[in-house]
Every structure is written in C-alpha cells, then in structure tokens.
Amino acid sequence: MTFVNEMRLDFDALPENEAFARLAVSGFMLPLDPTMEELADVKTAVSEAVTNAIVHGYSGGPGTVRLCAGYSRNGDFQVDVIDHGRGIEDIRQAMQPFFTTASGPEERTGMGFTVMESFMDDVDVRSKPGQGTTVRLTKRIRLREDQMLPRRA
Amino acid sequence: MLLYEKKRDALIVRLTGELDHRAAESIRDELDGLIAGTNPRRLVFDLSGLQFMDSSGVGLIIGRYKRMKRRGGSVAVSKCDARIDKVLRMSGLYQIVERLA
Ligand SMILES: Nc1ncnc2c1ncn2[C@@H]1O[C@H](COP(=O)(O)OP(=O)(O)OP(=O)(O)O)[C@@H](O)[C@H]1O
Ligand SMILES: [Mg+2]
C-alpha cells in the first residue's frame, strides 16, 4: 500500500495508555473525514489489540507498544499494533472465538480477535513465541466523491 | 464512572464514560463491594451513559454474572447503543444475561 500520510508512536505498556492509543489513532484518521461509525470501529479494534499487547504480550509487566499507521490516497487505512512480548504459539487457535489463555482474576472471554475481525475489513497477525506480536488492522474508509486526497509531493 | 441505586431487591448500576480494560479493573472491586454490601437478587447494568466499550467490558459483566449466580441472583443489561449491543451479542452474553430495552 502506498501511503500519503504515516505516523509512528511508541508508548509504555500501561493500561492508562489504552485510551491514549484510541485517541491518537482517531486523531490521525481525521483528514479522511471518517463517519462516527468508522471511527468507532477503528477505535474498538485498536483498543482490543493494544489491550492484548499489554495484558498478554507483556503480562502486565514493563514493555513498549508501538503503533504504526498510514492511509492511502483512496482511503485505505492501516494500523500495526506491535509488541515485543511473549508472542503467540498458535495464532489460528488464538483467533478462535472464546479462546483465551487468561485465567483467575483476569476475567477475559476470548472475544478480542473476533471483535477486531467484525469491525475491520482485515486482521492479520504475525507472531513468534518469545519475540513478540504484530497485529495489522486494515479498513477502507469511504471517501466522499470530491474528497480524493492529494498525492504525496 | 459508576453510579448506583437500590430499587427493592435490585441493584441498578449506571456506567458512564469509556469501559475498557483499565476502567474495568478500576470499578470491579467497587462493584463487588456494592454487591456484597447491598445483597441484591438482581443486578442491572444501565449502559446508556457509556461512550465506549470493548471486550474488557464483556469480561466485567460476565464476571459479575458468575458472582450473582453463586448468590442465587441474576443479571440484566439495559439501554446500550447498537455498537455495544453488537459486541454483547457476539460474545453470547444474552444467553446468560437478560437484555432489557
Ligand atoms: N499481543 C499478544 N501477545 C501474546 N498473546 C496474545 C496477544 N494477543 C492475543 N494473545 C493470545 O490470544 C488469546 C486470544 O486473544 P483475544 O483478544 O481474542 O481474547 P482475550 O484477550 O483472551 O479475551 P478478551 O479480549 O475477550 O478480553 C489471548 O488469550 C492470548 O493468549
Ligand atoms: Mg483480548
């Protein structure tokens, strides 16, 4: 995908940064003039992936989460949520509805990936145990007819 | 944020703002304290004031459902918007928790 605008953001793997990540991504998307619906879809998916990085990737411990986002001239939006935490052994299994490795006080239901898939056009997960996880979320934002974005200079 | 009222044997909890992982963690103990303290037969979540919810909110509601069930009580959810409704439906929540208008 050829982007006309890109951003990159690193932040500590802390729960208080979940809201920040949602806001940062929605702010970055504003030039695409998304509908409230599209904005909320992306915010929800980003929230799921960032929460996973914090609670599963780093198991609540220290770490850095990276967001890389960009969009193309015709409104294809993409965001990567990257951690260098424990990684996922079996990605297929992890993405099944109701699959969770959480137990005890964590109260997770294994719906995060299912939510991401239902609100985005595509969810692509790359992971290596012990090395980390990248979740790539993509969504076509519908541009108004007069709204073709300028090419990058 | 969490507001509540006791109506006969029901505890009605109104959640406002954004219910994500952080918010769920921070209101969980308060909710459990309220349940223990007011001993309701029914716990009703009023979600009309929520601007955002993800799967961490589902976990919070299901966790309280399990607690209420152990006490012989029930849980209901009311007044959520279409997006939150979709997440709750997807999670199979309405098989165990009543959905009010
Ligand atoms: N960034 C990550 N690093 C390591 N493991 C992950 C990561 N993201 C997801 N997983 C694994 O995939 C499983 C499924 O994730 P998913 O978000 O679907 O459900 P959950 O987080 O367990 O529950 P919920 O999202 O409903 O609260 C997790 O339980 C975890 O084992
Ligand atoms: Mg999750």
Side-chain angles (χ1 to χ4, degrees), chain A residues 32-50:
Chain A
L32 291 169
D33 198 16
T35 62
M36 296 297 278
E37 177 91 16
E38 289 167 334
L39 212 49
D41 287 350
V42 172
K43 277 169 104 167
T44 307
V46 165
S47 194
E48 294 293 351
V50 168

Side-chain angles (χ1 to χ4, degrees), chain A residues 6 31 37 39 53 56 76 81 99-102 127-128 131 141:
Chain A
E6 287 177 81
E37 177 91 16
L39 212 49
H56 302 301
D76 285 317
V81 179
F99 178 84
T100 182
T101 52
S127 189
K128 270 216 177 101
Q131 288 186 30
I141 304 300

Side-chain angles (χ1 to χ4, degrees), chain A residues 48-49 51-52 55-56 108 110-113 116, chain B residues 55-56:
Chain A
E48 294 293 351
T51 300
N52 280 352
V55 302
H56 302 301
R108 306 229 148 258
M111 286 307 292
F113 279 124
M116 288 181 237
Chain B
S55 68
S56 296

Side-chain angles (χ1 to χ4, degrees), chain A residues 15-16 18 22 37 40-41 43-44 47-48 51 55 98 105 107-109 111-112 114 118-119, chain B residues 18 20-22 25 28 52-56 58-60 62-64 83 86-87 90-92:
Chain A
E16 47 267 54
E18 292 154 5
R22 294 194 294 273
E37 177 91 16
D41 287 350
K43 277 169 104 167
T44 307
S47 194
E48 294 293 351
T51 300
V55 302
F98 303 110
E107 299 193 334
R108 306 229 148 258
T109 40
M111 286 307 292
T114 308
S118 87
F119 289 136
Chain B
E18 306 205 310
D20 62 4
H21 160 237
R22 179 177 192 237
E25 298 267 277
R28 185 170 60 193
F52 177 87
M53 195 196 82
D54 62 18
S55 68
S56 296
V58 177
L60 181 82
I62 291 181
R64 305 297 71 64
R83 164 172 310 275
K86 187 173 172 186
V87 174
M90 229 188 284
S91 313

